[in-house]
Amino acid sequence: MCSSDLPGEYVFASRLFVTRGDSLVVWDDALGRASVLSPAGEHARDLVPDAQLASPRLAGVFGDGSLLIVNPTLDLAPGTSIQTQRGEDIRFDPEGKGLDTLGLYPGRTAQLLKDGVPVTDFAPQDMVSIREVPFSAETQRAVDGGGYWVGTTATRQIEYHDSTGALKTIVRWTGGPLDVTDQDKQSYVNERITAAKDDQERASLRANGVAGFEVAPTLPTHGPLLVDARSAEH
């Protein structure tokens, strides 16, 4: 895959969806744009949302070709290094024009770091990085034709909303929280080692594991939401 910001090329293509007429939609996280391809894979056009979004992510494509885009934000709370992100769900038409804000949901919990050390107070000019807290809750979404499923992994509930954001169905289940175990932590470290960008990061993970990391005490209640069949009734 090409690494370019030219039309039809990509820097960091992260998601692929099938839409009307079996066309394909490829989302590029780095460019914040969607590329529409023919069923044969030929580039048709690029789509850039007409709103000023911080780091948008495409969550899915509705049956009418409109897009569900999540715009994550981080409103810093003073006095703590642990911050909770939020995700604003916005629907855009097939040309990239904003239509509706469908909802605002909690995102991952993150830890603020300065020079690799947790920080609670900092000046605007300080270089502060963000490290996501392992196993922290987040909101998952899955588009299904004329609507979408959404669930926050701190709860035992998922909801089905139509493409305007109206709530149609709630699914709940029971059960207590599961504690994060040492085996869970080691599995997380192994995944980070595999995805590490260089040998230095891999060596640090092997030596330290999650030491120094803020780690959520319990596991998320569910993983990604997947739709395996479309239905008009939920």
Side-chain angles (χ1 to χ4, degrees):
M1 186 169 290
C2 299
S3 179
S4 167
D5 61 356
L6 295 174
E9 298 187 355
Y10 315 98
V11 174
F12 188 75
S14 62
R15 310 205 75 188
L16 173 67
F17 298 94
V18 179
T19 185
R20 297 176 299 178
D22 291 332
S23 296
L24 305 175
V25 177
V26 181
W27 180 258
D28 191 308
D29 278 343
L31 300 177
R33 79 178 183 195
S35 293
V36 180
L37 311 180
S38 73
E42 299 171 342
H43 177 255
R45 58 190 174 88
D46 290 326
L47 183 156
V48 178
D50 66 354
Q52 293 294 321
L53 306 178
S55 51
R57 178 175 58 86
L58 180 62
V61 183
F62 292 108
D64 63 0
S66 59
L67 310 177
L68 175 62
I69 292 179
V70 180
N71 183 42
T73 60
L74 182 63
D75 296 329
L76 299 180
T80 177
S81 69
I82 305 302
Q83 308 286 337
T84 299
Q85 303 176 64
R86 298 188 301 168
E88 183 181 23
D89 292 0
I90 308 172
R91 185 167 67 102
F92 291 82
D93 73 11
E95 304 304 319
K97 180 181 178 182
L99 297 175
D100 310 288
T101 295
L102 305 185
L104 186 65
Y105 298 94
R108 295 291 298 269
T109 301
Q111 188 169 29
L112 302 181
L113 305 173
K114 181 179 178 182
D115 299 326
V117 177
V119 60
T120 58
D121 297 303
F122 56 92
Q125 67 271 19
D126 291 342
M127 296 296 292
V128 178
S129 60
I130 296 175
R131 179 171 65 196
E132 290 189 342
V133 173
F135 310 109
S136 64
E138 61 182 316
T139 298
Q140 301 282 359
R141 303 159 179 86
V143 174
D144 177 18
Y148 73 111
W149 296 94
V150 58
T152 300
T153 60
T155 68
R156 284 163 178 76
Q157 172 176 304
I158 59 174
E159 302 172 352
Y160 184 77
H161 297 253
D162 68 19
S163 60
T164 70
L167 176 63
K168 296 298 183 180
T169 302
I170 298 177
V171 178
R172 297 187 178 98
W173 64 97
T174 59
L178 298 176
D179 293 336
V180 173
T181 66
D182 289 340
Q183 183 177 354
D184 295 323
K185 295 177 183 178
Q186 188 57 53
S187 296
Y188 172 80
V189 170
N190 292 341
E191 291 175 2
R192 287 287 303 272
I193 290 172
T194 300
K197 63 181 183 296
D198 53 39
D199 290 340
Q200 181 179 355
E201 183 179 354
R202 279 186 284 272
S204 175
L205 287 164
R206 290 192 178 101
N208 303 314
V210 293
F213 279 60
E214 182 75 21
V215 179
T218 58
L219 294 170
T221 55
H222 60 81
L225 302 179
L226 303 174
V227 176
D228 59 8
R230 292 183 175 179
S231 172
E233 298 181 359
H234 300 279

